Amino acid sequence: MRRQWSNTRGLRSPRALAALAWLGLSGLAFSATAQESEASAEPANGNLSGIEIEVSGEARRTLLPMAVPDTLARGGADPELARQVAQTLRRNLDLSGYFRVLPVDSFYFDTHTEGLAAADISFSNWMNVGAQGLIKSSVRAEGDQIALDLRLFSVDQGRQVSLSWSATTVSPDEVQAQVNAFINAVIAHYTGEPGFFGSRIAYARRDRSGAKHVYVMNIDGSGVQRITRNNAINLLPSFGPGGAVYYTSYQDQNPDLWVWRNGRVSKLSSRSGQNSGAAYCGGKLALTLSLGGDNTDVYLINPDDGAVVQRLTDHWAIDVSPTWSPDCSRIAFVSGRSGGAHIYLMNADGSEQRRLTFQGTYNTTPEWSPRGDRIVFSGRDERNRYDIFAVDLQGNIERLTQDQGNNFEPSYSPDGRYILFTSDRGGRGKRLWLMSADGMVQKLLTEEGSGYEEAAWER
């Protein structure tokens, strides 16, 4: 059982939802919604039963057994590229949380003798290894381009499934993006909504010198790019329009707000004291400022020149960490005005401020779901452990992590079905993890190194 805070009024445990499938499937097994066409690309039966997998305690849900044999290298294509394609398919399908990717060593026959057409596939062999879905893939060199062919098959029907993605010829640098687009199409076929692959995150990471830098990378761990080049502490990244990244930096001995746009950095707000926790929405930029004093409040500033537009909070207590509702009409924030750190709500103009959380004594780093119905945050429990919680707009709270180290700084995926967060579980330092929005499935995202913090998902 997950422990609740000592005061459990208004708390709801996701255990009661254990029979529901992950990420909003609401008890429905994978339902195919893709439009089907050619006889050679018939739909899979959308009502696939999958298998039951214990995910968290007594919680169980359905996973679809998916076979992903090695990618075929044809026409002089680099075998290493083929290996990378297969590796990306397996890892990202597993990371999505919808599939049980079958181990390659369970394939008792030579998969390399099969082609990519349904007539060239022994579906009985794939059925015998327990596969319900099958992905076949090949790369072929065509001059300096790569012909990429990826196909999904229904094993029990012995037919190819029609997807929104189709075979394409691209440069080697574009192969990864196309593989992710195919995976998103596979997820859309089974769930009705595409996956998140191809989206980006920003995060802070400390190096051995003690400096802390801000990076961006694709959600699958590829395309890592460092955007700060000083030897200072840089933290609290968040995304703005056009791929801009806001962050706070101490490079000039004050926590100033900087912005990275198109490879260039510039200072946006450098008032004495705090300039931190920037949150952008619909042309508005909310920011925590202390204006040279010890107390912090939430302000709106001009995202182009940093000029103060409006002061939203004016209280003797600390007010920090603004986060916008999806329609930019409301802001959630953290305030100490009740004696401990709690989540509060207000309108975008600062009116109608009200307390949302009443459990716990230290609730921080809120983020509003893109679906508008919940806010996730980090909370400290009665054992002084930090965990991730979600609260609806009526104040009902779910605990999403427990008994797995300390868990901090949640950030929603663009579709609201996943949550990115930092955890020190496993004794290997702070790493980034990914979980379903109900907390039932949690997977390690950053497999190499540690020191990852303050991750934010681009929307």
Side-chain angles (χ1 to χ4, degrees):
M1 293 290 290
R2 288 177 178 162
R3 294 186 183 88
Q4 308 294 349
W5 279 316
S6 55
N7 179 359
T8 59
R9 178 176 58 86
L11 295 178
R12 297 182 303 171
S13 170
R15 298 301 190 201
L17 305 176
L20 302 182
W22 181 33
L23 300 177
L25 294 182
S26 300
L28 296 177
F30 302 90
S31 58
T33 60
Q35 297 296 316
E36 320 300 349
S37 55
E38 304 292 338
S40 62
E42 286 295 319
N45 182 355
N47 190 25
L48 297 176
S49 60
I51 57 172
E52 291 296 312
I53 299 292
E54 184 171 343
V55 175
S56 180
E58 67 271 19
R60 303 180 72 87
R61 70 178 183 84
T62 300
L63 295 178
L64 179 76
M66 181 71 74
V68 186
D70 292 341
T71 299
L72 302 177
R74 294 174 165 176
D78 185 356
E80 177 59 20
L81 178 61
R83 187 194 67 80
Q84 292 173 2
V85 168
Q87 182 181 49
T88 300
L89 287 167
R90 291 167 186 147
R91 181 176 188 270
N92 290 0
L93 286 166
D94 175 72
L95 192 62
S96 76
Y98 291 113
F99 308 99
R100 182 171 72 92
V101 179
L102 300 177
V104 175
D105 59 10
S106 70
F107 307 157
Y108 60 87
F109 51 96
D110 186 0
T111 64
H112 300 85
T113 62
E114 292 188 338
L116 269 65
D120 300 325
I121 298 172
S122 176
F123 288 101
S124 60
N125 283 341
W126 292 111
M127 190 173 296
N128 287 337
V129 300
Q132 291 188 19
L134 169 65
I135 289 176
K136 286 283 192 171
S137 57
S138 73
V139 291
R140 180 188 298 275
E142 294 188 356
D144 60 354
Q145 300 286 95
I146 299 296
L148 181 66
D149 195 353
L150 307 169
R151 306 184 188 187
L152 172 66
F153 294 88
S154 168
V155 172
D156 59 344
Q157 294 188 1
R159 297 183 182 274
Q160 184 180 344
V161 176
S162 178
L163 298 174
S164 59
W165 186 94
S166 59
T168 185
T169 300
V170 296
S171 70
D173 291 340
E174 297 173 298
V175 169
Q176 176 89 5
Q178 287 298 321
V179 174
N180 283 333
F182 170 80
I183 294 170
N184 288 341
V186 171
I187 294 171
H189 171 74
Y190 288 117
T191 72
E193 295 184 60
F196 56 75
F197 296 102
S199 61
R200 298 192 307 163
I201 64 172
Y203 60 92
R205 189 179 186 190
R206 194 178 296 273
D207 64 23
R208 293 180 180 178
S209 72
K212 190 174 183 180
H213 291 288
V214 173
Y215 299 79
V216 294
M217 73 176 182
N218 298 325
I219 188 60
D220 64 358
S222 64
V224 176
Q225 182 179 8
R226 177 174 152 183
I227 68 173
T228 56
R229 297 290 172 181
N230 53 53
N231 292 314
I233 301 296
N234 306 277
L235 67 165
L236 299 174
S238 64
F239 282 97
V245 177
Y246 299 104
Y247 63 95
T248 296
S249 176
Y250 283 82
Q251 75 173 66
D252 293 330
Q253 289 72 54
N254 187 69
D256 300 325
L257 180 67
W258 291 71
V259 60
W260 176 85
R261 293 189 180 100
N262 300 318
R264 302 182 65 180
V265 298
S266 59
K267 192 182 293 186
L268 188 58
S269 178
S270 57
R271 297 165 177 88
S272 178
Q274 291 292 326
N275 302 259
S276 62
Y280 179 89
C281 191
K284 303 173 184 178
L285 186 61
L287 185 68
T288 299
L289 297 173
S290 60
L291 299 182
D294 294 328
N295 191 47
T296 55
D297 279 291
V298 178
Y299 291 74
L300 292 181
I301 69 170
N302 188 309
D304 296 320
D305 61 15
V308 171
V309 174
Q310 184 181 358
R311 182 172 185 167
L312 300 182
T313 66
D314 187 1
H315 199 277
W316 58 264
I318 291 174
D319 297 323
V320 296
S321 302
T323 178
W324 291 93
S325 63
D327 63 359
C328 307
S329 67
R330 288 182 290 177
I331 294 174
F333 64 101
V334 176
S335 180
R337 62 187 67 181
S338 61
H342 278 279
I343 312 301
Y344 283 71
L345 300 179
M346 63 179 167
N347 292 332
D349 62 1
S351 62
E352 298 186 21
Q353 297 180 18
R354 69 177 178 90
R355 183 174 171 181
L356 182 62
T357 61
F358 289 85
Q359 287 77 53
T361 58
Y362 195 74
N363 302 330
T364 63
T365 62
E367 177 156 301
W368 212 308
S369 167
R371 303 194 172 201
D373 57 341
R374 303 204 304 174
I375 294 166
V376 287
F377 63 94
S378 304
R380 187 175 63 199
D381 67 11
E382 70 281 358
R383 301 170 298 154
N384 289 322
R385 288 279 189 175
Y386 288 88
D387 275 304
I388 307 298
F389 299 82
V391 59
D392 66 21
L393 302 188
Q394 290 71 49
N396 300 304
I397 293 177
E398 282 183 312
R399 185 170 198 152
L400 303 181
T401 65
Q402 183 168 349
D403 295 332
Q404 298 180 85
N406 292 289
N407 304 279
F408 317 87
E409 305 152 351
S411 180
Y412 272 109
S413 64
D415 61 7
R417 294 193 292 172
Y418 304 81
I419 298 170
L420 177 70
F421 64 102
T422 299
S423 180
D424 64 6
R425 65 185 67 179
R428 294 178 54 188
K430 293 181 179 180
R431 297 180 291 172
L432 298 183
W433 287 73
L434 188 68
M435 68 176 165
S436 58
D438 61 8
M440 289 298 177
V441 177
Q442 302 179 21
K443 292 180 177 291
L444 177 64
L445 182 63
T446 53
E447 298 176 345
E448 301 293 331
S450 62
Y452 297 87
E453 296 179 279
E454 302 158 359
W457 211 320
E458 185 176 21
R459 298 184 188 174

